[in-house]
């Protein structure tokens, strides 16, 4: 699959991502959880070697195989689905970093499993994400992730293995002599975009395409983030809006796979911040169940835009990490229903408790599902005072 040189560059790029994602520098002896799927073992071995060279304490853990997941979600009773081993809370509370290497052997193996069972297990483990989020707010934790090509991914995307790998190489700049240096350039350009957006006093955004007409309210004390090292690759610029202000129709023309289910043509109708109607060309019942996972599952947790000048991704990849960063001809926007990102709070992160999150309209949910629109679109910001400004058009931010 990858050459030794490409694997080394991939690992070095992930280290750049992990280091950039954490506000406090890593120190020798820090514990880094290295989580990987079976097919990603070649990259996991190179990554672990690099972490040791950096003075870290890697903790390698292989994810469940497709058959294991089918057994767990399909056969477990409620007690088994929600049981948490002793020590997991303490373990998560002592971690300094997480690297996830995603390489699914199947995208449809859970299709016959009731999604509510998967949701039950996710809700029971939400506390782990909460721990990581709080540690990230204090600068004690960082994370990044990537995908490793598999036959299942390539077939689902309608690509050959070589075509799929080529998209990964291009998107992550593994064909550059020094990928981390290239990422630093992208990072610097993204900083300009974020500074421009964060200087605007935006009342609300109107996203218009052929099938989307949506109002999104950024909310008070928000900041735009992106290209932070958290995802490799990542070109999106995003924020977590005040969910209460969402109105209108959002359409995801790009398909997606989630929990073993294929979904296409999702249309969500929002009223008073809540998705009151869900439709889909494929997977309609699954979509409806996902948005009833918990009380926050039918609310907006994220709004994002990707500039086509940054991203080299030009094909559907059957994986959210790549698809939410699609560049193509028109760039993309995506929304996520479910959990918001606390780090888009513009104030002192250490003061953002649950009460303040609720007051500011940050959404809370065990779900976080990205839905992507790649249609030609215009995003217009209405500033406080009434002035209108186009911030995104023809797949590009209008900051120059």
């Amino acid at each position: 699959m990858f050459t030794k040189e490409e694997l080394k560059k991939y690992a070095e790029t992930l280290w750049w991502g992990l280091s950039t994602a954490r506000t406090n520098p890593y120190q020798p002896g820090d514990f880094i959880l290295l989580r990987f799927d079976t097919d990603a073992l070649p990259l996991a071995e190179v990554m672990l070697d690099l972490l040791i060279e950096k003075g870290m304490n890697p903790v390698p853990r292989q994810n469940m195989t497709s058959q294991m997941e089918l057994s767990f979600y399909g056969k477990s009773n409620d007690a088994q689905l929600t049981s948490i081993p002793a020590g997991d809370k303490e373990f998560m509370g002592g971690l300094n970093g997480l690297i996830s290497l995603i390489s699914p052997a199947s995208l449809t193996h859970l299709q016959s499993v009731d999604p509510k069972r998967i949701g039950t297990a996710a809700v029971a483990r939400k506390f782990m994400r909460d721990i990581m989020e709080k540690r990230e707010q204090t600068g004690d934790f960082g994370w990044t992730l990537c995908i490793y090509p598999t036959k299942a991914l390539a077939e689902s995307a309608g690509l050959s293995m070589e075509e799929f790998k080529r998209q990964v190489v291009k998107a992550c700049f593994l064909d550059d002599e020094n990928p981390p240096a290239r990422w630093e350039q992208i990072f610097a350009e993204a900083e300009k975009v974020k500074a421009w957006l964060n200087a605007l006093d935006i009342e609300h955004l109107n996203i218009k395409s052929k099938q989307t007409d949506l109002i999104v309210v950024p909310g008070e004390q928000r900041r735009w983030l992106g290209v932070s090292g958290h995802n490799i690759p990542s070109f999106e610029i995003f924020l977590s809006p005040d969910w209460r202000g969402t109105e209108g129709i959002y359409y995801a023309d790009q398909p997606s796979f989630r929990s073993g289910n294929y979904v296409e043509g999702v249309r969500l109708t929002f009223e008073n911040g809540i998705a009151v109607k869900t439709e889909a060309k494929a997977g309609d019942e699954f979509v409806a169940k996902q948005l009833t996972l918990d009380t926050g599952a039918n609310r907006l947790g994220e709004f994002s835009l990707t500039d086509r000048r940054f991203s080299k991704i030009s094909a559907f990849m059957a994986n959210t990490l790549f698809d939410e960063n699609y560049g193509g001809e028109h760039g993309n926007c995506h929304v996520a229903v479910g959990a918001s990102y606390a780090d888009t709070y513009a104030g002192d992160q250490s003061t953002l408790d649950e009460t303040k999150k609720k007051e500011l309209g940050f959404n809370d949910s065990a779900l976080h599902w990205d839905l992507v629109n790649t249609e030609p679109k215009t995003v217009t910001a209405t500033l406080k005072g009434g002035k209108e400004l186009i911030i995104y058009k023809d797949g590009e931010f209008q900051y120059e």
Side-chain angles (χ1 to χ4, degrees):
M1 173 57 67
F2 290 107
T3 65
K4 288 183 179 180
E5 184 65 20
E6 287 170 337
L7 287 172
K8 181 181 178 183
K9 287 181 176 180
Y10 214 169
E12 289 171 345
T13 301
L14 287 165
W15 174 252
W16 173 87
L18 189 71
S19 302
T20 304
R22 194 173 106 160
T23 55
N24 292 334
Y26 280 95
Q27 302 295 329
D30 280 350
F31 285 92
I32 312 296
L33 175 60
L34 178 59
R35 211 155 49 190
F36 59 96
D37 291 325
T38 307
D39 285 356
L41 182 59
L43 180 56
E45 291 174 338
V46 177
M47 190 74 245
L48 185 140
D49 187 72
L50 180 60
L51 289 172
I52 290 175
E53 287 183 358
K54 297 292 184 181
M56 303 297 106
N57 288 319
V59 184
R61 286 194 175 179
Q62 185 169 323
N63 296 325
M64 288 192 289
T65 64
S66 299
Q67 184 57 53
M68 287 177 178
E69 287 187 334
L70 185 58
S71 296
F72 177 71
Y73 292 115
K75 293 184 176 181
S76 294
N77 58 39
D78 285 349
Q80 290 171 311
L81 283 173
T82 58
S83 180
I84 306 297
D88 267 21
K89 183 176 181 180
E90 291 75 14
F91 173 70
M92 297 305 296
L95 281 178
N96 306 107
L98 165 66
I99 300 174
S100 293
L101 312 181
I102 303 165
S103 58
S106 169
L107 301 185
T108 57
H109 58 289
L110 298 178
Q111 194 166 18
S112 62
V113 176
D114 184 348
K116 283 192 175 293
R117 294 177 58 78
I118 301 172
T120 296
V123 170
R125 289 158 180 78
K126 182 178 176 293
F127 75 91
M128 296 186 189
R129 188 169 69 195
D130 293 340
I131 291 172
M132 290 187 287
E133 184 178 271
K134 288 178 181 177
R135 286 181 58 76
E136 187 170 19
Q137 287 175 223
T138 59
D140 298 313
F141 181 83
W143 60 269
T144 193
L145 55 83
C146 73
I147 66 171
Y148 192 92
T150 65
K151 184 178 179 181
L153 281 170
E155 288 181 349
S156 297
L159 302 174
S160 68
M161 280 291 283
E162 184 56 35
E163 289 170 333
F164 194 95
K165 176 199 168 182
R166 188 64 198 155
Q167 287 284 329
V168 174
V169 169
K170 285 196 308 177
C172 300
F173 306 116
L174 303 184
D175 49 357
D176 275 33
E177 184 177 345
N178 187 346
R182 182 62 180 278
W183 277 107
E184 281 292 343
Q185 294 174 1
I186 297 292
F187 179 86
E189 197 62 33
E191 288 292 290
K192 297 178 185 178
V193 178
K194 289 181 288 184
W196 171 66
L197 289 171
N198 286 325
L200 300 175
D201 199 6
I202 300 174
E203 178 70 35
H204 68 263
L205 300 168
N206 183 201
I207 302 93
K208 280 193 174 183
S209 69
K210 182 179 179 180
Q211 300 185 77
T212 290
D213 189 352
L214 187 71
I215 296 293
V216 173
V217 176
E220 298 298 321
Q221 300 184 63
R222 298 301 204 276
R223 60 176 178 171
W224 294 83
L225 298 177
V227 194
S228 59
H230 283 115
N231 296 332
I232 301 294
S234 178
F235 307 100
E236 60 170 320
I237 307 295
F238 68 93
L239 56 70
S240 285
D242 184 337
W243 68 265
R244 297 166 295 192
T246 313
E247 296 282 346
I249 294 173
Y250 181 79
Y251 180 76
D253 65 302
Q254 192 180 76
S256 64
F257 287 86
R258 184 174 182 85
S259 301
N261 291 263
Y262 175 77
V263 174
E264 183 180 355
V266 175
R267 184 186 305 274
L268 303 178
T269 302
F270 288 90
E271 293 180 4
N272 298 316
I274 295 174
V276 296
K277 185 178 181 181
T278 64
E279 305 167 87
K281 292 180 180 177
D284 185 56
E285 183 179 351
F286 173 77
V287 174
K289 286 184 177 180
Q290 285 290 283
L291 269 66
T292 58
L293 179 65
D294 54 30
T295 55
N298 59 2
R299 303 168 181 171
L300 216 60
E302 179 190 5
F303 172 71
S304 169
L305 292 164
T306 296
D307 193 306
R308 64 178 184 148
R309 292 169 293 185
F310 295 174
S311 174
K312 290 186 176 183
I313 302 169
S314 58
F316 172 61
M317 297 287 281
N319 180 272
T320 300
L321 172 59
F322 273 70
D323 295 332
E324 71 178 3
N325 288 289
Y326 179 86
E329 185 179 358
H330 306 296
N332 89 76
C333 82
H334 79 260
V335 303
V337 283
S340 60
Y341 288 119
D343 54 354
T344 63
Y345 172 59
D348 182 355
Q349 290 284 311
S350 65
T351 67
L352 187 62
D353 55 20
E354 295 307 312
T355 299
K356 183 174 283 188
K357 283 183 184 179
K358 189 173 181 180
E359 290 174 354
L360 293 172
F362 281 93
N363 193 34
D364 185 50
S365 174
L367 181 71
H368 185 90
W369 186 10
D370 298 299
L371 298 165
V372 183
N373 178 293
T374 66
E375 296 176 320
K377 67 181 59 63
T378 299
V379 180
T380 303
T382 298
L383 308 182
K384 292 179 180 177
K387 180 182 177 181
E388 292 188 347
L389 176 68
I390 294 175
I391 65 167
Y392 186 90
K393 185 179 180 181
D394 299 328
E396 299 179 358
F397 286 106
Q398 305 296 299
Y399 69 108
E400 292 181 332

